[in-house]
Amino acid sequence: MTSRTVNIADSVRRHFKDIGHDEKVKNAAYENAQARTRTLVLMDIANDENGLVVGTGDLSELALGWATYNGDHMSMYGVNASVPKTLVKYLIRHEAARLGGEAEKVLTDILNTEISPELLPPENGKIAQKTEELVGPYELHDFYLYYAVRWGFSPKKVYFLAKKAFAGAYGDETLKKWLVSFYKRFFSQQFKRSCLPDGVKIGSVALSPRGDWRMPSDACAALWLAEAEAL
């Protein structure tokens, strides 16, 4: 494998100038311009190299819509589309132990780094944008995803199971908070899943619109949220 760095700073700053965006304003436009530029660069290099852009987005991110539309949301093949975030971490840990040596050090360092899209400048040398502080713990969302989608359980039943599974780790209010958040995000972000690239189905849960998941982008979450919020 050949490592290559493409500095996108000048491109993004020129883009900000073209659209009249003040880069001191660190809003969605500031963040997403970077993610979309990354994707543009990767896809054009793929054309030059007669290759494919392999998607990094995973099942958990697709469920929550935690991706930039037409940015990291897009690729030429979504290899992790059916792999939840908790399994991604397990696979990295397994591969690190299998490889050993320098590769194990690098992979372990990746595992020990906060999950982040890194679209905001670091604060005092540390990552400023911590995904799980913003959208909630992935171990909870992956649990909710499995029972809500694979089994079609109601919010009340998913909550009941979560209280048993995470007893001592999370309080009831925390479980409810992220359960409500899960349903809000899952329904509102279907528009990103409706136009996903092809991806392999690995587990028993997949959200591809081409075989596993049929859902209108304007589906109403009211019934699910009413039950979840009343817990």
Side-chain angles (χ1 to χ4, degrees):
M1 183 176 77
T2 301
S3 176
R4 177 178 174 186
T5 300
V6 178
N7 191 316
I8 65 170
D10 289 343
S11 297
V12 174
R13 288 199 163 101
R14 173 58 191 266
H15 177 62
F16 287 155
K17 185 178 178 182
D18 289 344
I19 66 172
H21 177 79
D22 181 354
E23 67 178 273
K24 294 189 181 83
V25 180
K26 299 192 169 44
N27 59 4
Y30 176 89
E31 296 182 25
N32 290 338
Q34 298 169 74
R36 292 189 179 111
T37 301
R38 290 175 185 173
T39 303
L40 172 67
V41 169
L42 289 169
M43 288 196 166
D44 288 345
I45 290 175
N47 291 157
D48 261 346
E49 300 290 341
N50 194 29
L52 296 174
V53 175
V54 178
T56 58
D58 56 49
L59 179 64
S60 307
E61 292 168 346
L62 294 177
L64 299 173
W66 190 248
T68 295
Y69 191 78
N70 210 30
D72 54 303
H73 151 263
M74 191 48 60
S75 66
M76 293 163 179
Y77 191 71
V79 70
N80 291 328
S82 185
V83 184
K85 184 73 74 180
T86 44
L87 181 54
V88 170
K89 295 180 75 170
Y90 175 86
L91 291 170
I92 293 172
R93 191 174 293 111
H94 172 81
E95 193 65 5
R98 186 184 74 83
L99 291 169
E102 195 63 29
E104 183 175 18
K105 291 179 185 176
V106 172
L107 292 172
T108 301
D109 183 53
I110 290 170
L111 280 173
N112 292 335
T113 301
E114 291 272 7
I115 299 169
S116 171
E118 295 189 87
L119 296 174
L120 291 177
E123 295 176 354
N124 300 318
K126 295 184 179 180
I127 291 173
Q129 205 174 17
K130 299 177 182 178
T131 296
E132 290 184 291
E133 289 182 2
L134 299 168
V135 297
Y138 275 118
E139 63 180 353
L140 292 184
H141 286 307
D142 288 352
F143 184 92
Y144 299 153
L145 173 65
Y146 179 74
Y147 286 106
V149 175
R150 174 66 180 83
W151 294 102
F153 290 163
S154 69
K156 187 180 293 185
K157 187 164 184 176
V158 174
Y159 179 64
F160 170 81
L161 292 172
K163 287 200 292 184
K164 299 291 184 183
F166 295 100
Y170 295 97
D172 292 355
E173 284 304 310
T174 300
L175 292 174
K176 175 186 170 180
K177 171 188 172 181
W178 294 120
L179 182 65
V180 170
S181 175
F182 169 80
Y183 281 107
K184 283 181 178 177
R185 295 194 67 98
F186 187 81
F187 275 82
S188 69
Q189 300 297 302
Q190 172 62 23
F191 75 99
K192 292 180 182 176
R193 298 187 289 266
S194 294
C195 57
L196 289 175
D198 287 342
V200 63
K201 181 175 180 179
I202 294 174
S204 61
V205 180
L207 295 172
S208 168
R210 278 169 294 283
D212 291 281
W213 192 247
R214 298 287 190 271
M215 179 179 176
S217 295
D218 59 351
C220 182
L223 290 174
W224 286 264
L225 287 176
E227 182 173 307
E229 289 168 347
L231 292 169

